[in-house]
Amino acid sequence: MEKIVFRHQEIETLPQPQLKELQRQKLQKAVEAALKTPFYKKRLNDAGIRDARDIQTEADFRKIPYTTKHDLREAFPYGMLAADKADVVRMHASSGTTGIPTVVYLTQADLDKAAELNARSCACTGSTKNDVFQNMMTYGLFTGGLMLHYGAERLGMMVIPSGSGNTKRQLQLMKDFRTTVVHATPSYLLHMYDVMKEEGFRPEDFALKKAYIGAEPHSEDIRKKIETLYGIDAYNSYGLSEMNGPGLAFECVCKNGMHLWEDSYIGEIIDPQTLEPLPDGERGELVLTILERNGMPILRYRTRDLTRFIPEPCPCGRTHRRLERMTGRSDDMLIINGVNVFPSQIEEVIMKMPEIGNNYLIRVQKQGSLDKLTVKVEVTASLFSDDSRDLEHIRRRIQSDLQAVVFIRPAVELHEPGALPVSQGKAVRVIDERKES
């Protein structure tokens, strides 16, 4: 096990009662900022909250209504903006179920805070300024790449912003610059190992010591497989764009749950059916409140991710409670190679095309270590009697239109009417054949 290192020991080991008081103070400021937005002003006023000072106790906090992804889309584009637009320096977005993205705005102070939390996250795994950090996550509108990049830089690591894909080049960069830490999805690391063997490399040809893995669900067996294959430590992390992405919760060197940084977030576990709070140790849906974001506060956000708080104290000495790895979701979202995909997004695209029939099927399976998304659609009978070039043109158009919406390129199969199975009850539109191995 790596040596236990703190970035800010005083705050990381603050006793829970003092953490709760710090949260209460910061929550009032967050509510004050939220009341500046058109969305929250109405939402909070309707709940009887007209001033931040109305929130004093836990019972007061629970009067705040939950916020959902639907709310973020309804408020698009600026309904949840709390700061002057001139003070916003960054916008991030993730795909939504309707084509309207969920958007997050950050001021420079917000970016600095996010970078610091990511630096803390890196430090709690034992990373230092002597490390070389290769970031294999996607850069762009998603927060996954940039936020941990900033944290690694703030910690003092040399950062290689390699982005995703181009595996042979990734390996060459790792070898040339003696990369010690990588950030990637677990499925990509497994894929990269296969390419490593094909290229004649061995793990001992590299200086790699640890990997930060996240953005897609994975089992403890997958983590151990990565550690065994590469001879490294792999650390689980958790984040979502609505909460600034990575740096929200991270494993320490004990690798037994992810510390939620409770000086910056309030975490709750609720029953997704009754919406009632659950005690530590019971599994339910994670609800998050971000305490320090001037550009766009979000209160009591339903993540739809299922997990629990681990009640036992962590041997590392940190007092911030730990989240167990995510075990699923309370909605129908698929996570494919780290990208969020809703079946309803796919349906909306294909059902707009007059050539498409009424039946379709979404299939997700493993292709090597990576996920493969296949969309099967029935087309009108007349198309199969026409020139085959017409079919290929439609297949490519569907593929292109879907990629524009879900940000990944699916395989598309065209079928004659009646070729796909018809359900007698509720239509089965998604077959997820992925297996943990």
Side-chain angles (χ1 to χ4, degrees):
M1 188 174 76
E2 291 259 11
K3 179 183 176 183
I4 294 173
V5 176
F6 296 95
R7 182 158 173 85
H8 294 117
Q9 185 168 358
E10 182 180 356
I11 194 68
E12 292 174 54
T13 60
L14 197 64
Q16 271 288 321
Q18 291 171 245
L19 261 178
K20 295 288 187 188
E21 175 57 24
L22 182 61
Q23 286 180 331
R24 188 190 68 81
Q25 295 170 12
K26 290 185 176 182
L27 176 63
Q28 287 196 343
K29 293 180 180 178
V31 171
E32 186 177 341
L35 284 166
K36 297 176 183 177
T37 72
F39 169 80
Y40 275 120
K41 183 177 176 61
K42 182 178 189 310
R43 178 67 63 90
L44 293 174
N45 285 178
D46 288 348
I49 302 166
R50 300 184 178 278
D51 189 285
R53 289 169 294 185
D54 292 336
I55 308 297
Q56 298 288 342
T57 65
E58 189 168 334
D60 294 334
F61 172 65
R62 288 184 179 157
K63 293 177 185 175
I64 298 173
Y66 295 113
T67 304
T68 66
K69 188 178 282 284
H70 174 76
D71 293 328
L72 269 62
R73 293 196 302 270
E74 286 289 302
F76 180 88
Y78 292 116
M80 297 181 78
L81 179 62
D84 190 307
K85 197 161 72 169
D87 293 327
V88 173
V89 299
R90 174 72 58 77
M91 178 273 277
H92 278 285
S94 63
S95 60
T97 58
T98 64
I100 299 175
T102 56
V103 178
V104 172
Y105 300 102
L106 300 102
T107 65
Q108 187 59 56
D110 298 336
L111 277 180
D112 291 342
K113 181 63 180 178
E116 183 55 42
L117 287 179
N118 276 281
R120 182 195 294 178
S121 298
C122 294
C124 80
T125 68
S127 293
T128 72
K129 65 179 183 179
N130 297 316
D131 282 298
V132 177
F133 176 82
Q134 190 165 326
N135 196 2
M136 301 177 181
M137 284 292 191
T138 302
Y139 284 74
L141 287 174
F142 292 110
T143 52
L146 279 166
M147 292 306 190
L148 204 53
H149 174 127
Y150 290 151
E153 283 185 341
R154 182 164 289 221
L155 189 61
M157 289 193 272
M158 185 176 92
V159 175
I160 303 173
S162 56
S164 60
N166 202 341
T167 307
K168 292 181 182 179
R169 187 165 182 265
Q170 300 277 14
L171 292 168
Q172 195 61 52
L173 288 168
M174 289 171 61
K175 190 170 186 296
D176 291 343
F177 297 99
R178 308 294 290 165
T179 299
T180 57
V181 185
V182 295
H183 177 213
T185 62
S187 57
Y188 186 71
L189 286 178
L190 293 174
H191 169 71
M192 189 169 72
Y193 183 80
D194 292 335
V195 177
M196 180 191 298
K197 289 193 300 181
E198 290 170 5
E199 293 298 303
F201 289 122
R202 301 167 302 165
E204 50 266 37
D205 295 329
F206 301 89
L208 194 62
K209 296 189 299 184
K210 59 174 72 86
Y212 300 150
I213 53 179
E216 64 187 20
H218 62 281
S219 66
E220 183 64 18
D221 288 340
I222 290 290
R223 184 235 290 271
K224 288 178 179 176
K225 185 173 183 178
I226 290 169
E227 291 184 325
T228 300
L229 290 175
Y230 286 94
I232 61 174
D233 288 308
Y235 294 93
N236 196 10
S237 63
Y238 174 73
L240 59 161
S241 293
E242 295 86 346
M243 295 284 139
N244 290 353
L248 166 67
F250 228 88
E251 282 187 326
C252 65
V253 294
C254 298
K255 293 192 290 187
N256 185 25
M258 301 170 288
H259 289 279
L260 174 68
W261 301 127
E262 294 188 281
D263 56 320
S264 295
Y265 299 95
I266 294 176
E268 308 169 73
I269 302 294
I270 65 169
D271 183 312
Q273 303 303 319
T274 67
L275 306 186
E276 290 300 312
L278 297 174
D280 285 4
E282 289 195 30
R283 184 170 286 104
E285 181 183 334
L286 178 63
V287 174
L288 292 167
T289 295
I290 188 165
L291 294 173
E292 294 180 280
R293 189 165 66 195
N294 301 318
M296 186 175 164
I298 296 182
L299 310 176
R300 303 195 80 196
Y301 183 70
R302 292 189 62 186
T303 68
R304 303 291 184 173
D305 289 316
L306 301 176
T307 183
R308 71 183 184 104
F309 278 113
I310 299 170
E312 299 81 19
C314 184
C316 78
R318 290 178 178 85
T319 53
H320 299 236
R321 290 179 300 167
R322 290 165 296 151
L323 292 169
E324 195 173 67
R325 69 174 62 246
M326 305 298 142
T327 57
R329 290 185 55 84
S330 62
D331 61 12
D332 62 349
M333 188 181 83
L334 300 167
I335 301 178
I336 301 173
N337 293 326
V339 178
N340 298 344
V341 176
F342 289 90
S344 54
Q345 291 175 292
I346 294 173
E347 179 176 289
E348 184 180 16
V349 170
I350 60 181
M351 287 298 132
K352 285 180 179 177
M353 298 181 177
E355 303 92 345
I356 304 302
N358 294 324
N359 206 3
Y360 69 92
L361 187 66
I362 299 165
R363 184 184 184 194
V364 189
Q365 57 194 148
K366 280 292 183 185
Q367 189 173 63
S369 298
L370 299 178
D371 300 328
K372 180 184 178 182
L373 171 64
T374 302
V375 179
K376 303 182 179 189
V377 296
E378 292 182 0
V379 296
T380 57
S382 60
L383 282 173
F384 276 91
S385 60
D386 294 336
D387 194 320
S388 62
R389 288 174 296 184
D390 293 337
L391 282 173
E392 180 60 17
H393 173 72
I394 290 170
R395 190 191 68 79
R396 289 181 180 275
R397 179 156 60 93
I398 294 170
Q399 192 174 50
S400 177
D401 288 355
L402 286 173
Q403 185 177 11
V405 172
V406 301
F407 304 126
I408 56 177
R409 191 171 182 82
V412 174
E413 296 179 5
L414 303 183
H415 295 265
E416 294 183 84
L420 297 179
V422 178
S423 299
Q424 297 303 310
K426 183 177 179 181
V428 178
R429 299 295 195 190
V430 180
I431 299 177
D432 192 342
E433 299 175 352
R434 292 173 292 186
K435 301 293 182 184
E436 301 282 11
S437 59

